[in-house]
Amino acid sequence: MPNPKSQVPVWREEVASSVLSVDYQRILQAVADRVRLGQGPLTCQEMVAVFGMDVVAARVEALRSKAKRLVARGWLAEPPPGRFTLGPGVAGPGDGS
């Protein structure tokens, strides 16, 4: 039985990004947009700016925590430390699966 506290399920091909909470979907969408535009991995500071928030340590760290959780569950990858891209096989929201 899944852990009720776990907000991020482990990525599998048959699991749609719609199972993620809105915050996690926004992160996945921002990273997917960067991939689509060929702009490379996204940093947490860049994510904060993309979301229209003030780039302050508390916001950056909150996003970093969520992005790291997505990495741990296979939704994102972090090839160079601190830079996030889609995990292997993951299509961004709206890209199908």
Side-chain angles (χ1 to χ4, degrees):
M1 186 158 212
N3 178 350
K5 288 186 170 190
S6 178
Q7 298 177 2
V8 180
V10 172
W11 180 84
R12 293 184 315 277
E13 199 168 318
E14 66 274 7
V15 178
S17 62
S18 59
V19 302
L20 300 171
S21 72
V22 174
D23 288 344
Y24 290 103
Q25 286 182 42
R26 284 180 72 199
I27 293 169
L28 197 61
Q29 184 66 58
V31 171
D33 288 347
R34 280 289 285 254
V35 169
R36 264 193 295 282
L37 294 171
Q39 296 176 338
L42 192 63
T43 68
C44 292
Q45 290 88 346
E46 291 167 332
M47 276 187 240
V48 170
V50 165
F51 297 153
M53 298 185 271
D54 292 331
V55 182
V56 295
R59 295 213 187 270
V60 172
E61 290 309 313
L63 267 173
R64 185 180 327 280
S65 172
K66 287 179 173 149
K68 293 275 192 181
R69 192 166 296 120
L70 287 167
V71 169
R73 304 297 198 295
W75 292 91
L76 294 181
E78 190 181 10
R83 301 190 64 79
F84 299 90
T85 192
L86 293 176
V90 177
D95 282 352
S97 55

